[in-house]
Amino acid sequence: MEKNLPGGTGPVHVPFGHIVANEKWRGSQLAQGMQGKIKLVFEDGLTPVDFYLSSRSCILYVTEADLVAGNGYRKRLVRVRNSGNLQGIVVVEKTRINEQYFPAIQKFTVLDLGMVLLPVANQIEASCLIVQLVQEQSKEPSRNPFLKKKRALLSEPYLLRTVQQIPGVGKVKASLLLQKFPSIHELSNASVQELELVVGQVVAQQIHTFFTQSRQLPHIYC
């Protein structure tokens, strides 16, 4: 039975260039893909977190099997979001087998919880993504007075990728949208007319429909 870390969901001290990983990932393709590129430290009882990237940011990994099995993953996401201690990034395996379930987790994560969601094809792709994020963080000087501000900026590329998952929105349109609406909250509350000024009528309607339908999804309380 997994134990919780003292203080619940964090924070946990993680030196730059390291990852603290949940013991359950030892020997996995995901862990093997990161070894040799960054330093991995395995710990028991990291529930509900899978990987700590720093003392304030973590990865919650949702596998193909987790998604097909139902909504059990949602409690983990809600717990991290409600902790107030961590910036949680949700990495989800999106495959042909579970593709039909992806819109539900996308809407729940991005709209209901306001968290960043990144789809990956498999654990190898996920390992490259996580390594890249850790390497970006490790470049920051420990005594940099602007450290806190820079850490906040690290989420911007991943917010961009999240917006790209909206039907009809590619990289260029996602960039334009985030220049005008710098958060998911602002984007989701934009009118069709406001969106049209950025991406045109057709895509604006697709975006509006996406957010409108998402608000009809039931909320989960834990």
Side-chain angles (χ1 to χ4, degrees), residues 9-15 52-58 85-86 151:
T9 52
V12 170
H13 175 67
V14 183
Y52 279 93
L53 307 181
S54 72
S55 60
R56 294 291 180 179
S57 61
C58 67
N85 295 320
L86 291 167
R151 279 185 176 175

Side-chain angles (χ1 to χ4, degrees), residues 94-137:
K94 182 182 179 183
T95 67
R96 284 183 295 179
I97 293 176
N98 67 7
E99 190 170 10
Q100 62 181 309
Y101 305 101
F102 185 77
I105 188 173
Q106 180 185 35
K107 292 173 181 178
F108 179 75
T109 302
V110 176
L111 303 182
D112 289 354
L113 302 185
M115 300 173 73
V116 173
L117 180 147
L118 302 176
V120 294
N122 49 52
Q123 292 187 18
I124 297 300
E125 182 178 327
S127 69
C128 295
L129 181 67
I130 295 172
V131 167
Q132 180 184 8
L133 180 54
V134 174
Q135 289 175 341
E136 287 175 355
Q137 290 183 329

Side-chain angles (χ1 to χ4, degrees), residues 153-171:
L153 294 174
L154 286 174
S155 65
E156 290 185 0
Y158 303 96
L159 181 59
L160 179 66
R161 286 187 60 177
T162 298
V163 174
Q164 285 179 245
Q165 299 305 309
I166 299 173
V169 178
K171 185 174 182 179

Side-chain angles (χ1 to χ4, degrees), residues 40-56:
L40 273 175
V41 179
F42 292 96
E43 294 281 353
D44 284 319
L46 294 189
T47 305
V49 173
D50 291 297
F51 301 95
Y52 279 93
L53 307 181
S54 72
S55 60
R56 294 291 180 179

Side-chain angles (χ1 to χ4, degrees), residues 120-202:
V120 294
N122 49 52
Q123 292 187 18
I124 297 300
E125 182 178 327
S127 69
C128 295
L129 181 67
I130 295 172
V131 167
Q132 180 184 8
L133 180 54
V134 174
Q135 289 175 341
E136 287 175 355
Q137 290 183 329
S138 66
K139 293 176 184 177
E140 299 174 343
S142 60
R143 296 182 181 180
N144 190 331
F146 301 103
L147 179 60
K148 184 178 292 186
K149 181 178 179 181
K150 284 190 175 182
R151 279 185 176 175
L153 294 174
L154 286 174
S155 65
E156 290 185 0
Y158 303 96
L159 181 59
L160 179 66
R161 286 187 60 177
T162 298
V163 174
Q164 285 179 245
Q165 299 305 309
I166 299 173
V169 178
K171 185 174 182 179
V172 174
K173 288 186 172 66
S175 298
L176 293 172
L177 286 166
L178 287 173
Q179 288 176 23
K180 179 69 175 178
F181 312 102
S183 71
I184 293 295
H185 176 74
E186 291 181 66
L187 181 59
S188 66
N189 286 294
S191 67
V192 174
Q193 291 74 22
E194 290 173 319
L195 294 168
E196 282 183 9
L197 296 175
V198 182
V199 294
Q201 183 178 5
V202 175

